[in-house]
Amino acid sequence: SQQGEEDPQALSIQEGENATMNCSYKTSINNLQWYRQNSGRGLVHLILIRSNEREKHSGRLRVTLDTSKKSSSLLITASRAADTASYFCATDGNNRLAFGKGNQVVVIP
Amino acid sequence: DAGITQSPRHKVTETGTPVTLRCHQTENHRYMYWYRQDPGHGLRLIHYSYGVKDTDKGEVSDGYSVSRSKTEDFLLTLESATSSQTSVYFCAISESWTGDEQYFGPGTRLTVT
């Protein structure tokens, strides 16, 4: 089954800096999604980008999708301490979402 | 937060005992899912439901069964708990199809001793 794989696995940045995470996948998709998980909580949906879209913005989030390279990136601009969390990409296929193992992002105040 | 609750939130049980986890939603969404989350494995789908009494297996369904007798409730049963089933279990819902955005419950931490 296809699965998103995030890179890098862990990222530590200063507050105010930008954070970039990448995700690769193996097969064709209808959409790719990004989720955030704060420690001890459930996942929260951040953004969905469809296969015919190349870029999407939501507040301080920017997602790109390159279907030719089967990859996506999530950019968080002007990071805040509250952005400290794990970030997962998820790809649809075979009637289910396949989640990557997650990127841990620590924003240092 | 989407109206999803899970019960219990924490449970410790012994090997060999049956355990049932409950997921309850107030959103009237058609699809419901059970995942387990383990370090190094990310989120893995156990079972999902696409309507009342309609369920299907995910990638790690062995040792688990589910039931959905009402739109709002999705039960996950560990028929005979094993230590390998120690995990955090998340319920999720989506409105229209399995590739749609999903809304997650707060999770249940299960420890099998």
Side-chain angles (χ1 to χ4, degrees), chain B residues 32-49:
Chain B
M32 299 186 76
Y33 311 83
W34 278 107
Y35 293 91
R36 60 179 289 175
Q37 185 176 34
D38 304 287
H41 290 278
L43 230 64
R44 293 181 291 175
L45 181 66
I46 305 171
H47 283 279
Y48 71 100
S49 169

Side-chain angles (χ1 to χ4, degrees), chain A residues 31 33 35 37 43 95 101, chain B residues 37 40 98-99 101-102 104:
Chain A
N31 67 59
Q33 304 176 34
Y35 290 78
Q37 184 179 34
L43 277 69
N95 286 328
K101 293 183 173 60
Chain B
Q37 185 176 34
T98 52
E101 56 190 83
Q102 295 185 10
F104 283 77

Side-chain angles (χ1 to χ4, degrees), chain B residues 69-102:
Chain B
S69 59
K70 298 185 290 185
T71 298
E72 57 266 34
D73 290 327
F74 192 32
L75 303 181
L76 176 71
T77 297
L78 287 65
E79 293 138 11
S80 177
T82 67
S83 59
S84 65
Q85 294 176 312
T86 292
S87 186
V88 180
Y89 292 85
F90 288 99
C91 174
I93 63 174
S94 66
E95 187 170 9
S96 56
W97 71 297
T98 52
D100 207 354
E101 56 190 83
Q102 295 185 10

